[in-house]
Amino acid sequence: MKSVVLLSLAGLLACGQGEARPAADSAANAVATQSPVLRGKLRGVIQNPPQPKPDLILLTTAGKPFDLRRETKGMLTLVFFGYTNCPDVCPVHAANISKVLKTLPNDVSSRVRFIFITTDPERDTPEVLGKWLASFDPAFIGLTGTKEQIILAQQISQVMPAIREPDPSKPANYFVGHAGQVIAFTSDDLAHIVYPFGVRQLDWANDIPILVNGWPQ
Amino acid sequence: MTWWCSATSAEWSWTWRPYPGVWLFALALLAWYALTLRRSAATPLRPYAGTPLRPLSFAVAAVLLWLSLDWPVGALGAGYLLSVHTTQYVIITTVLVPLLLIGIPPELRPRGAFARFMAGAAPGLLGYTAVMAVTHVPSVSDALMATQAGSLVVDLAWIGGAIALWWPVLAPEGVARISPPLRVGYLFLATIPPTIPAAFMVFSDYPLYATYELAPRVAGIAAGSDQQTAGLIMKAGADPLLWISMAIVFFRWQRAEDAAERRARSLSPQETAS
């Protein structure tokens, strides 16, 4: 009797295993078929080939070295080059990302890092940069460095290095022409997608929950 | 030369900028009124004499038109703050156009079949609702506000929609308007359609209009709070003005009814004797 019960249990387990395998296969198939769909749903600009996360070490607003690859490992990392006196693109990107992160569930927003690298290190002192970013979201990370380090950071991040432009209305002032896109590095440390200026909160709210789970292969 | 305010995506500046199209529009309106009045005054009837409030009302409307469409309100509303855009809408719809219509004397009333048709409740309400709905569709608004011509179309459409709304209530004497009690109900119905875009503005998680979401920020006002303020202005700003209008219509009607009753009584002495 005991053996019959054991055999029956073994049979049940075998059946269970037999059923589990197709289920796992179908899940894998679902992921495989979902990925192009998910990629199709993304609203940023897909880069092919993707660009690697730059090997950067800059200073935080607290004056501590920040190793971009190490500190953001496994996170969805949104990297943007801008400056705090920017009248248009920078505050809009920062405000939109900040707003969306506040509306997304915590298990999604906690896996996102927004890195703002100043292109105007002269005026964007760590204090100024920190205060400006905190006005959007205290979790935003501001990075700075020497002028040369910032230029190098832009080059290895494959964006056009920023240039100084005179302000015609105020000669003492100047603007900084800089790249307008946010580069999104997924957990594989690659940027498969970038977000140019014009991307809206709805677009971020659509894409971030997909990208925090890694690039849909 | 920039003739009309539109969204430019340039940084907002408090430095004055001229918009001659707005000045010409307001001046043309005043010139038309003055010329038409002069012509009307030259007629043997001279029906316009003794009613100075009408030209005053029309002049105030023209000044309001200028103020609400010119810099800074016009420029802020066209390309920076949805709350200012909605304020313009509320001013045009509930203050400017009523004053404009009050200013038109009976002799200047349009006499065509269209004017008679639009004096009905249904065409008025439908015309107003259609303009309000279409001009607040985000894709339509974003496309139109990006150009001067498009922005002009929006402003003219608002004026047209508001004329449609108020014509059955404030058309000059001589036009067969709807009855006073019906006017009260009609104005109450007019408070309902704006609730829909206003609710979307207040309760939407994200900004609806790309124009205002991506515009350079003014005074650090976030796009989300700007949109919520706009929704509140659309309801809480416009509704009280319509309620006041309802109250005015109602009490005038009541006063007229009382007067008619008193007249009727004075004409029948037997009744008063008994």
Side-chain angles (χ1 to χ4, degrees):
Chain A
M1 184 64 192
K2 207 175 187 178
S3 59
V4 171
V5 172
L6 282 172
L7 275 172
S8 306
L9 276 173
L12 275 173
L13 282 170
C15 287
Q17 280 172 350
E19 280 170 8
R21 191 179 293 276
D25 284 352
S26 68
N29 286 339
V31 170
T33 50
Q34 263 180 5
S35 292
V37 176
L38 285 177
R39 279 204 299 274
K41 279 185 181 171
L42 292 169
R43 296 178 185 174
V45 179
I46 292 179
Q47 302 200 104
N48 204 5
Q51 72 180 80
K53 192 184 274 182
D55 192 6
L56 281 178
I57 300 177
L58 292 167
L59 289 178
T60 64
T61 50
K64 290 180 180 159
F66 186 91
D67 183 331
L68 184 68
R69 279 190 183 168
R70 196 164 54 82
E71 305 272 0
T72 61
K73 194 152 187 64
M75 302 276 185
L76 170 62
T77 310
L78 307 174
V79 174
F80 182 67
F81 289 88
Y83 69 115
T84 63
N85 282 287
C86 177
D88 38 43
V89 179
C90 306
V92 170
H93 267 320
N96 284 355
I97 293 169
S98 135
K99 172 70 201 297
V100 171
L101 290 179
K102 279 171 195 154
T103 56
L104 289 175
N106 190 45
D107 67 316
V108 173
S109 56
S110 63
R111 289 186 283 156
V112 182
R113 293 287 176 271
F114 180 66
I115 312 289
F116 186 97
I117 303 174
T118 180
T119 52
D120 185 14
E122 278 175 45
R123 285 186 297 185
D124 288 346
T125 61
E127 195 193 357
V128 168
L129 184 58
K131 205 180 270 181
W132 188 79
L133 284 170
S135 71
F136 296 103
D137 187 337
F140 282 179
I141 297 162
L143 296 182
T144 186
T146 63
K147 212 172 154 187
E148 292 72 28
Q149 283 173 322
I150 298 294
I151 292 170
L152 189 67
Q154 291 169 92
Q155 284 167 343
I156 60 172
S157 301
Q158 299 178 23
V159 298
M160 288 289 287
I163 47 160
R164 238 185 226 206
E165 293 166 350
D167 178 354
S169 60
K170 291 178 210 153
N173 190 31
Y174 62 89
F175 295 118
V176 179
H178 60 89
Q181 75 267 36
V182 175
I183 310 165
F185 294 97
T186 39
S187 53
D188 56 1
D189 279 356
L190 291 171
H192 302 264
I193 193 163
V194 294
Y195 293 88
F197 183 68
V199 167
R200 301 181 57 194
Q201 290 182 19
L202 267 172
D203 303 322
W204 285 116
N206 176 74
D207 286 16
I208 287 175
I210 298 173
L211 295 177
V212 286
N213 293 320
W215 181 248
Q217 293 295 330
Chain B
M1 173 66 80
T2 309
W3 289 86
W4 207 264
C5 301
S6 65
T8 61
S9 76
E11 182 189 4
W12 170 253
S13 159
W14 285 104
T15 310
W16 176 79
R17 275 169 290 158
Y19 292 100
V22 179
W23 310 340
L24 287 175
F25 185 39
L27 285 173
L29 205 62
L30 282 174
W32 167 80
Y33 189 71
L35 285 174
T36 324
L37 271 193
R38 183 183 283 186
R39 221 174 291 151
S40 145
T43 64
L45 288 169
R46 291 185 57 80
Y48 198 70
T51 52
L53 278 178
R54 278 203 175 116
L56 182 68
S57 173
F58 199 93
V60 170
V63 171
L64 266 180
L65 181 89
W66 165 58
L67 289 175
S68 56
L69 299 183
D70 198 3
W71 187 92
V73 179
L76 278 170
Y80 296 91
L81 293 172
L82 181 61
S83 49
V84 177
H85 186 66
T86 313
T87 305
Q88 287 177 292
Y89 174 76
V90 169
I91 290 172
I92 289 172
T93 308
T94 55
V95 184
L96 189 156
V97 166
L99 288 174
L100 210 66
L101 293 181
I102 288 168
I104 298 176
E107 310 73 52
L108 300 190
R109 71 183 185 274
R111 290 177 167 80
F114 185 67
R116 283 198 301 276
F117 171 73
M118 287 307 291
L125 209 54
L126 285 175
Y128 159 70
T129 306
V131 168
M132 190 270 307
V134 171
T135 56
H136 286 88
V137 170
S139 54
V140 174
S141 173
D142 286 336
L144 290 175
M145 297 315 291
T147 64
Q148 293 182 59
S151 176
L152 170 67
V153 166
V154 169
D155 293 334
L156 291 179
W158 284 357
I159 293 170
I163 290 174
L165 170 67
W166 289 99
W167 193 251
V169 179
L170 293 174
E173 285 160 40
V175 177
R177 295 177 294 184
I178 55 177
S179 66
L182 203 58
R183 274 179 229 166
V184 176
Y186 171 85
L187 288 172
F188 173 74
L189 285 178
T191 63
I192 297 170
T195 312
I196 296 165
F200 272 104
M201 289 179 202
V202 172
F203 298 112
S204 172
D205 281 341
Y206 301 114
L208 299 168
Y209 301 92
T211 305
Y212 303 102
E213 180 185 349
L214 301 174
R217 298 289 93 209
V218 177
I221 301 169
S225 12
D226 173 44
Q227 181 170 286
Q228 283 176 334
T229 311
L232 290 173
I233 290 170
M234 192 140 183
K235 267 314 273 178
D239 279 8
L241 294 166
L242 287 168
W243 296 333
I244 291 168
S245 307
M246 276 185 252
I248 292 170
V249 170
F250 178 77
F251 287 115
R252 275 190 167 185
W253 170 59
Q254 202 183 36
R255 213 167 46 199
E257 289 284 298
D258 287 349
E261 204 173 317
R262 274 198 301 274
R263 258 200 317 275
R265 275 188 196 153
S266 67
L267 285 174
S268 54
Q270 286 172 338
E271 196 181 311
T272 45
S274 66

